[in-house]
């Protein structure tokens, strides 16, 4: 496999980890520096040595591929795609596939590292991976997206597989993307391989409850965190940043649980209604127009102002680095539950902790998706399907038990929930490394 990779990739080995967390991050932080700073803190807490630190800070395998695309008008474009496998000590690598114009190798490295910690923290038998193509899916027809997805899949074919690395949806991709990946992989294998992806359509072997699993998990954690902060969810208010696969359903489930969702945003703008937005009507509007902007049931709000709303709960469910040292001091929410991966920089974390804001980290809060992806994989292996209510109750049980575990660890050691969660996860991965030993 190593020879194959060397022959087919422009693979790059990352630099040494930056062991000292940045003190300020307004202009220098990237998702990768953030992820490495979080790892460095966990390593120092656990008292692990430099050798293990370097190994955990460095992806195990990286693939950069050129993805040529024939456009509908006959012209040709070239995109760059990535697949990074951060760690597979606890099982096959697992992680989403992102289509966004600004995707780069460092972002994918960070997202892959967070996947390793998430899988370890939730005790699902996977390592971490992530993929991406630097493409804006909104600029392409469905036929073009199908061609780019199939070509990318065929370029990364040597390193993926149900026992190697299993992609799933992320920003800009969905169950249709997963169906194309599954078909491309299956055609190349000569037989149908449903376990190559999770987040597939249910008619192709997807799991009940997968599409909304991340949002359900975010909601279970948000309700537990509000109660922990002494707030009654039925008398609480929330703002949700991002109205995509995670944010839209999180807003809906929070509203169903009695939380008044007063503000919601997407990349085009935000809407606000102090009495609470009608989330079903907002979702209809967003489906019809492609954005929350222009929704008649609320007033327009500046997108950046969404994070500073006077609410009890803030759910960032869009992109990385939105809470940084330039705005963390202005956050009014008492509780932040990270639907997105990496929305809070380390400097913002410190400011929020000093100000008494409870931040529930991504690797715990948004793990519902990977839990039900794991259920999808288990069901495929058993060729047996669980009912939606079975999936949902197993998801809730896993999320709340991880919440209790992280909370207990944090309180016993006076740590932030992020440091506790990262340390617990790193400890599990390090234990797998220790037991397996170093080859040769
Ligand atoms: P998506 O593409 O379905 O939706 C993204 C949403 O964010 C869109 O509404 C978009 O308009 C909005 N957005 C983008 N930039 C924004 C900005 N600067 N300000 C406000 N809104 C902005 O993606 P998704 O699957 O919902 O993923 C969102 C986040 O959740 C990502 O960080 C992703 O890695 C994370 N996540 C997703 C899953 C999953 O199962 N899909 C699981 C775990 C974590």
């Amino acid at each position: 496999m190593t020879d194959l990779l060397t022959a087919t990739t422009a693979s790059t080995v990352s630099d040494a980890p930056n062991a000292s967390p940045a003190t300020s991050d307004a202009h220098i932080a990237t998702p990768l520096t953030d992820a490495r700073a979080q790892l460095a803190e966990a390593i120092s807490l656990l008292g692990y040595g430099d050798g293990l630190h370097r190994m955990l800070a460095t992806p195990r395998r990286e693939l950069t591929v050129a993805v040529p695309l024939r456009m509908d008008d006959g012209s040709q474009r070239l995109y760059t795609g990535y697949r990074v496998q951060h760690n597979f000590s606890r099982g096959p690598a697992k992680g989403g596939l992102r289509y966004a114009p600004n995707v780069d190798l460092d972002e994918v490295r960070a997202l892959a590292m967070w996947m390793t910690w998430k899988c370890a923290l939730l005790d699902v038998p996977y390592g971490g991976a992530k993929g991406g193509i630097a493409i804006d899916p909104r600029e392409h027809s469905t036929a073009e997206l199908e061609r780019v997805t199939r070509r990318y899949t065929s370029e990364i074919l040597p390193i993926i597989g149900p026992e190697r690395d299993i992609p799933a949806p992320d920003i800009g991709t969905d169950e249709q993307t997963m169906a194309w990946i599954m078909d491309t992989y299956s055609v190349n294998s000569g037989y149908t391989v449903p376990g190559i992806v999770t987040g597939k359509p249910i008619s192709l072997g997807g799991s009940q409850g997968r599409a909304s699993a991340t949002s359900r998990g975010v909601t279970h954690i948000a309700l537990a965190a509000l109660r922990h902060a002494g707030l009654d969810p039925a008398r609480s208010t929330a703002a949700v940043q991002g109205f995509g696969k995670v944010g839209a359903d999180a807003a809906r489930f929070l509203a169903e649980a009695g939380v008044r969702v007063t503000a919601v945003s997407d990349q085009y703008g935000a809407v606000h209604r102090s009495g609470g937005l009608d989330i079903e009507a907002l979702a209809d509007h967003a489906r019809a127009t492609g954005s929350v902007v222009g929704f008649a049931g609320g007033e327009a709000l500046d997108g950046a102002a969404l994070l500073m709303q006077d609410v009890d709960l803030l759910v960032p469910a869009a992109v990385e680095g939105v809470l940084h040292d330039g705005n963390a001091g202005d956050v009014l929410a008492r509780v932040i539950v990270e639907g997105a991966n990496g929305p809070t920089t380390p400097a913002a974390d410190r400011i929020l902790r000093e100000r008494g804001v409870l931040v529930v980290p991504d690797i715990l809060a948004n793990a519902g998706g990977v839990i039900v992806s794991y259920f999808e994989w288990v069901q495929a292996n058993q060729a047996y399907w669980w009912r939606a209510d079975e999936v949902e109750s197993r998801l809730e049980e896993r999320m709340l038990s991880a919440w209790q575990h992280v909370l207990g660890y944090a309180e016993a050691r006076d740590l932030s929930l992020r440091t506790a969660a990262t340390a617990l996860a790193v400890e599990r991965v390090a234990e797998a490394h220790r037991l397996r030993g170093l080859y040769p």
Side-chain angles (χ1 to χ4, degrees), residues 67-71 75-79 135 139-140 144:
V67 189
L69 168 65
R70 184 167 30 81
M71 301 285 285
S75 64
Q76 190 174 313
R77 291 208 193 158
L78 185 69
Y79 292 105
I135 186 172
E139 286 180 358
H140 293 282
E144 288 169 353

Side-chain angles (χ1 to χ4, degrees), residues 98 170-172 214 241 243-246 266-267 317-318 339-341 366:
R98 177 172 294 194
D170 191 74
I171 291 180
T214 307
Q241 183 191 44
F243 204 65
K245 294 186 292 300
V246 178
D266 62 19
Q267 69 205 96
N341 287 307
N366 70 34

